[in-house]
Amino acid sequence: YAALRAGAAGFLLKDAGPQRLLAAVTAVAGGDTLFAPTVTRRLIEAFARRQPPGTGPGRPAGALEVLTGREREVLRLTGRGLSNAGIADELVISEATVKTHLNRAMAKLGLCSRAQAVVAAYESGLVVPGSPG
């Protein structure tokens, strides 16, 4: 969690091959985050056991009050793991608009990466592990 709070953009397992590593570097350079599916699952499960929603250090539930409704919705969908294209489809808006809302939300919350945005969504209780949406 400390690495994510510090701005880590993802995690790969040691057995990731060279092609996966190159794809990861390309994805992160493009602004995306990258987590091996098994890492993501373990990360969320461990986080769910660690603390109740809204009690994360430095990210109380009230911190989201600075966001507009649309920024909050984009952050929620980002926390659920949707890509910008997936968020655009779900909200029926353009990918450029998704990027604008996410960038504004991140700026308001003092976040530097999409990975930090995901952590903030969970810490604030905006996304709850195991909930359908």
Side-chain angles (χ1 to χ4, degrees), residues 25 39 64 69:
V25 170
V39 172
L64 299 183

Side-chain angles (χ1 to χ4, degrees), residues 48-123:
R49 288 190 305 269
R50 187 168 170 229
Q51 58 196 19
T55 62
R59 194 78 52 214
L64 299 183
E65 291 176 4
V66 300
L67 304 180
T68 66
R70 186 60 97 181
E71 290 166 350
R72 197 173 301 117
E73 184 66 9
V74 168
L75 181 63
R76 183 182 71 79
L77 294 172
T78 299
R80 284 185 41 215
L82 274 68
S83 66
N84 289 345
I87 295 170
D89 287 345
E90 180 141 338
L91 298 180
V92 193
I93 58 178
S94 73
E95 281 188 62
T97 301
V98 170
K99 290 177 185 178
T100 297
H101 287 305
L102 184 56
N103 286 334
R104 287 182 181 161
M106 289 172 58
K108 288 178 180 180
L109 297 174
L111 307 173
C112 300
S113 72
R114 192 176 186 100
Q116 287 180 327
V118 172
V119 171
Y122 277 89
E123 286 185 340

Side-chain angles (χ1 to χ4, degrees), residues 12-13 15 20 35-45:
L12 291 176
L13 299 177
D15 63 354
R20 183 75 169 138
F35 295 92
T38 56
V39 172
T40 304
R41 185 176 304 113
R42 288 188 299 204
L43 185 66
I44 291 171
E45 288 170 356

